[in-house]
Amino acid sequence: MLTAYGIAAVIALLAESDRPERTATILILLLIVMVLDLLAMLYARRILVGPTIIVLQVLGAVLAVLQVGLSIQLILAGLRTLGVSPG
């Protein structure tokens, strides 16, 4: 499903698109993501059998920690750019 954040990202990318090739690439990538989302929803019962659930939970935890680390890194880089934090 496309969330409000996803729609905002697509709109921002399309607004900054200055060439038809880039617009087509964005739309093709959006279509691929939506098809993958549909397939994941259709085959969710088959995917979530056996040890797959544990693997996906561990992967989710690892990706969450990486996302927190990336967000902290971006915040610190922004503060350094503003001159608020020494770096």
Side-chain angles (χ1 to χ4, degrees):
M1 294 184 294
L2 195 60
T3 63
Y5 302 114
I7 293 171
V10 169
I11 290 172
L13 287 172
L14 289 175
E16 291 295 319
S17 177
D18 54 351
R19 298 185 321 267
E21 299 86 19
R22 182 173 174 180
T23 302
T25 302
I26 293 169
L27 293 176
I28 289 170
L29 289 173
L30 175 65
L31 181 65
I32 290 170
V33 168
M34 294 304 288
V35 168
L36 288 174
D37 188 36
L38 175 65
L39 290 174
M41 287 189 289
L42 289 174
Y43 294 105
R45 290 183 194 266
R46 293 182 187 155
I47 294 171
L48 296 176
V49 293
T52 309
I53 296 173
I54 296 171
V55 171
L56 289 175
Q57 287 178 340
V58 170
L59 180 66
V62 169
L63 291 176
V65 169
L66 288 174
Q67 187 175 8
V68 168
L70 178 63
S71 65
I72 292 171
Q73 185 177 2
L74 289 173
I75 290 170
L76 292 175
L79 290 173
R80 278 189 219 107
T81 301
L82 292 173
V84 176
S85 173

